Amino acid sequence: MARICIVGSGYVGLVTGACFADFGHEVACVDINAQRIATLQRGDVPFYEPGLDVLVRRNQAARRLRFTTTLEEDVAGADVIMIAVQTPSGEQGEADLSHVLSVGRQVGTLLPPDGYRVIVTKSTVPVGTSRTLEQAVRAAAPPGAEFDVASNPEFLREGSAIEDFMRPDRVVIGVQTERAGDLMRELYRPLFLLETPIVVTSIQSAELVKYASNAFLAVKISFINEIANLCERVGADVGVVARTMGLDRRIGSKFLHAGLGFGGSCLPKDTRAITYMAQEHGEQMGLVEAAIRVNEQRVVRAVQKLEELGGDLKGRTVALLGLAFKPNTDDLREAPSLRLIPMLRERGARVRACDPEATQSALRIFPDLETCDDVYECARAADACMLVTEWNPYREIDLARLKAVMRGNVFVDCRNVYPPHRMRALGFHYESFGR
């Protein structure tokens, strides 16, 4: 059993802490947000992630997981200190490391002069950050403090984060010393029974692999969206094309789904960061830059489809089915809906929206947004519907009932959920992507 202190109790920090506690480690999650810590101490989770509330409460009850706003005791008593704070995008797309380095300096001042600790970057950080972090910690640490800095990037998908942690495709550990590598392997010992690949490498490689992975996924999404555009021109079906491509094991079927493109907390931020990082080192990321440009046009194309079907949007009511950037999360970071709502309003449309989990998050951004509890209420007297997030309940809508409550019959399926022939047979003026 190891003693772990995780600094930052947001999405990554909380999921990581709860899962490590479930492995049997003793975990303290620290955050400066007193309200968030108070919420967690009550056993409540301040965001939606399936199963996370149960995991948190179970490990709190077992006294393996606790939450605090103070670092002092937990840094001194920890074997491993993980930094899981935000690294938001700067003006040029660069990762803002101010939070990471601030935590590093605080940790340095609290390191005791005896004992050995590993300080781990769990946040997504550009290559070279661990070296800078080590310098910041060492400058603040007392004489004799013994520590190593390591990189352990996360690969958690919102909506399935617990499964991704408990049954990962791989664990990546970047270290400078064998001693740090041994301690980090010990944290993940429960995964050895699953024969999970544990990749121990240099810190530079570990730091880059997260950006490279997310950039590749972004390119794959934008690629199939460009193929969808071509399918519309030539009369092909992007669903058939994508499924057939995916049967080739060199390509694979995942992330070949045409639609509104990528959003969320990782892919948009990480693609910008890797292009900035490349430029800083005299290189270009032409493919990634193209993927970003393609992605930026997806919402524009969706609105164009709506106008082609329904004409001028001024005075029309548009119902948005879904707000979150993907199902099974309430996360609106970089969600297509955040661009879609202003774009529709600029054209004079009245926007109404529903989402199983994200309406409260949306109201914090758009306080005047009209929100509804279910699809049929949202669609009542609407001139058009746009399926924005493919939540499971939105895959099984009673379409005849939906059409009956609508004033118009326009339906733009931004996630290619429904068969076009079925929608048209029901009397919908229907459009999707690449079909």
Side-chain angles (χ1 to χ4, degrees):
M1 181 192 76
R3 293 166 299 177
I4 305 170
C5 173
I6 299 179
V7 187
S9 297
Y11 186 84
V12 172
L14 182 56
V15 171
T16 300
C19 290
F20 271 137
D22 216 53
F23 281 176
H25 300 302
E26 182 181 322
V27 180
C29 289
V30 184
D31 202 288
I32 60 172
N33 187 328
Q35 183 178 352
R36 172 175 291 175
I37 291 298
T39 298
L40 291 167
Q41 287 172 339
R42 293 194 303 269
D44 297 325
V45 174
F47 52 85
Y48 180 70
E49 176 62 34
L52 184 57
D53 53 349
V54 175
L55 200 65
V56 166
R57 291 172 194 145
R58 180 168 75 226
N59 286 283
Q60 279 180 304
R63 298 180 182 273
R64 292 189 297 262
L65 178 64
R66 58 190 181 83
F67 302 98
T68 179
T69 56
T70 58
L71 269 174
E72 288 81 358
E73 180 182 348
D74 294 300
V75 167
D79 302 302
V80 176
I81 300 133
M82 292 190 163
I83 300 176
V85 295
Q86 291 185 343
T87 54
S89 290
E91 291 183 1
Q92 296 178 289
E94 73 278 13
D96 180 351
L97 301 177
S98 58
H99 301 300
V100 172
L101 297 179
S102 175
V103 170
R105 287 188 286 269
Q106 292 178 60
V107 168
T109 62
L110 298 172
L111 288 175
D114 58 340
Y116 171 77
R117 286 149 188 85
V118 177
I119 300 169
V120 182
T121 53
K122 201 69 182 171
S123 306
T124 302
V125 295
V127 176
T129 299
S130 293
R131 186 184 305 112
T132 305
L133 176 64
E134 182 178 8
Q135 293 168 352
V137 174
R138 200 167 297 284
E146 192 176 5
F147 69 91
D148 275 315
V149 169
S151 174
N152 180 211
E154 53 85 16
F155 299 94
L156 305 176
R157 295 169 300 164
E158 294 186 53
S160 56
I162 294 172
E163 178 70 12
D164 288 344
F165 194 101
M166 299 296 194
R167 296 181 176 275
D169 294 328
R170 76 289 201 200
V171 172
V172 179
I173 297 169
V175 291
Q176 301 176 91
T177 69
E178 187 174 338
R179 188 179 186 185
D182 289 343
L183 181 51
M184 291 299 295
R185 282 191 190 91
E186 189 63 28
L187 297 188
Y188 289 99
R189 179 171 293 278
L191 297 180
F192 292 0
L193 292 175
L194 302 177
E195 298 184 350
T196 301
I198 308 289
V199 180
V200 181
T201 183
S202 69
I203 288 181
Q204 293 92 330
S205 295
E207 288 174 331
L208 186 55
V209 72
K210 174 66 183 294
Y211 284 110
S213 297
N214 279 351
F216 182 81
L217 296 176
V219 168
K220 200 171 180 182
I221 292 168
S222 286
F223 174 82
I224 202 62
N225 279 328
E226 288 209 312
I227 293 297
N229 294 348
L230 182 58
C231 286
E232 292 174 7
R233 296 292 187 182
V234 302
D237 186 329
V238 72
V240 175
V241 173
R243 284 193 299 274
T244 309
M245 287 173 59
L247 294 174
D248 187 327
R249 286 174 292 181
R250 297 170 301 173
I251 297 172
S253 61
K254 293 183 178 179
F255 288 81
L256 286 179
H257 302 287
L260 283 176
F262 55 83
S265 62
C266 291
L267 266 60
K269 176 173 70 73
D270 292 352
T271 49
R272 291 192 294 264
I274 197 171
T275 57
Y276 179 85
M277 192 193 319
Q279 291 166 6
E280 287 286 285
H281 290 83
E283 296 293 338
Q284 294 293 318
M285 300 293 289
L287 278 175
V288 181
E289 291 170 3
I292 294 170
R293 289 194 299 271
V294 170
N295 198 62
E296 289 172 347
Q297 291 301 309
R298 299 313 289 171
V299 170
V300 175
R301 197 172 184 96
V303 173
Q304 289 172 344
K305 287 177 178 289
L306 182 63
E307 291 177 318
E308 288 167 4
L309 290 178
D312 189 355
L313 296 178
K314 188 173 182 179
R316 303 292 183 91
T317 298
V318 180
L320 302 186
L321 311 184
L323 291 163
F325 86 95
K326 63 178 288 189
N328 294 322
T329 181
D330 59 356
D331 198 344
L332 285 174
R333 285 176 289 182
E334 303 274 358
S337 63
L338 297 188
R339 295 181 59 216
L340 192 55
I341 291 168
M343 202 173 293
L344 293 171
R345 286 177 165 179
E346 286 169 5
R347 287 161 171 75
R350 173 187 177 188
V351 180
R352 192 185 298 145
C354 62
D355 189 286
E357 296 293 338
T359 53
Q360 292 306 309
S361 300
L363 287 170
R364 286 193 285 271
I365 301 169
F366 303 107
D368 59 342
L369 179 65
E370 185 179 350
T371 60
C372 304
D373 291 332
D374 66 46
V375 167
Y376 309 104
E377 180 187 358
C378 188
R380 189 172 301 280
D383 297 286
C385 280
M386 301 185 77
L387 180 54
V388 178
T389 312
E390 67 277 29
W391 288 89
N392 281 339
Y394 297 174
R395 292 175 175 272
E396 296 296 335
I397 297 171
D398 182 338
L399 295 168
R401 179 183 173 191
L402 183 80
K403 186 172 182 299
V405 301
M406 290 178 64
R407 179 167 57 209
N409 67 343
V410 171
F411 194 107
V412 178
D413 186 350
C414 299
R415 299 299 181 179
N416 288 6
V417 168
Y418 290 102
H421 67 276
R422 180 185 175 197
M423 298 297 287
R424 291 172 186 139
L426 286 166
F428 283 102
H429 204 185
Y430 175 86
E431 188 60 87
S432 55
F433 284 100
R435 301 189 298 174

